[in-house]
Amino acid sequence: MFSIGLCLISFCLSASAQVKIAASHNDFKIQVLRCAVKGSSCYVDMLFENKGAADLNVRADIEALKGYDDAGNQYKYGNNANGAFLYIADMNYAMPSYNSNAVFASEVPVKVRVEFTNVSEIATQIRRLEFHYVGPNDYLDKRVVKISNIPISR
């Protein structure tokens, strides 16, 4: 009886974890819309809204895209077993390119989707999703977004 009580408490604590969003720069208001599995892929759908007064032209650093689930798996760009892919406003960032910039209009939400392939059937959340992008004025200005505790809907 004692071990069942501990198990229930543990489940309640993990189920109530809040989605956390941390960014190294305040360029965007970020909202996680959903995280759902279709087939063996998991899709994290988000809205990014440029908070600045001017349009923002950024380049995604696709090679730094990675994710971790609560079943102990890591997903990253270029990994054929457990891959990670980025889509911005329906544009596929499948290949890294310094010419593949995305424009975020001021105060207009833009759809951003991250796809993780071959997601474990026992995973219940993406513990951390991390990606980098380069700021508008300096290609050495890498900015990081980390999103934690994203529940997976099945």
Side-chain angles (χ1 to χ4, degrees):
M1 185 67 164
F2 181 69
S3 63
I4 292 173
L6 287 177
C7 182
L8 290 175
I9 290 170
S10 173
F11 175 74
C12 291
L13 290 175
S14 65
S16 66
Q18 294 288 323
V19 173
K20 295 179 185 174
I21 300 171
S24 63
H25 197 275
N26 63 351
D27 294 325
F28 298 106
K29 174 183 171 187
I30 302 170
Q31 180 182 6
V32 176
L33 300 176
R34 71 189 65 79
C35 178
V37 172
K38 183 176 181 182
S40 64
S41 290
C42 178
Y43 299 93
V44 181
D45 292 323
M46 300 168 280
L47 287 178
F48 276 50
E49 185 174 330
N50 172 5
K51 296 188 329 184
D55 291 356
L56 187 61
N57 187 0
V58 299
R59 182 184 59 82
D61 183 0
I62 188 66
E63 292 176 333
L65 177 64
K66 58 188 163 188
Y68 306 87
D69 67 24
D70 61 345
N73 299 300
Q74 179 177 349
Y75 307 91
K76 60 184 179 177
Y77 172 79
N79 183 345
N80 292 332
N82 296 25
F85 302 93
L86 177 67
Y87 307 87
I88 299 176
D90 300 324
M91 183 162 48
N92 184 352
Y93 281 79
M95 298 294 290
S97 170
Y98 286 95
N99 298 320
S100 297
N101 289 359
V103 176
F104 291 83
S106 179
E107 300 182 21
V108 175
V110 174
K111 291 189 303 184
V112 175
R113 172 178 267 190
V114 173
E115 174 187 2
F116 297 117
T117 60
N118 298 318
V119 173
S120 169
E121 292 181 7
I122 62 170
T124 62
Q125 71 176 212
I126 300 298
R127 292 296 296 263
R128 186 169 68 194
L129 181 161
E130 181 177 323
F131 60 93
H132 302 194
Y133 65 97
V134 177
N137 300 319
D138 185 357
Y139 280 95
L140 299 176
D141 181 19
K142 286 202 177 184
R143 300 172 182 193
V144 180
V145 175
K146 293 180 183 178
I147 305 173
S148 305
N149 304 326
I150 308 168
I152 298 174
S153 297
R154 294 191 184 263

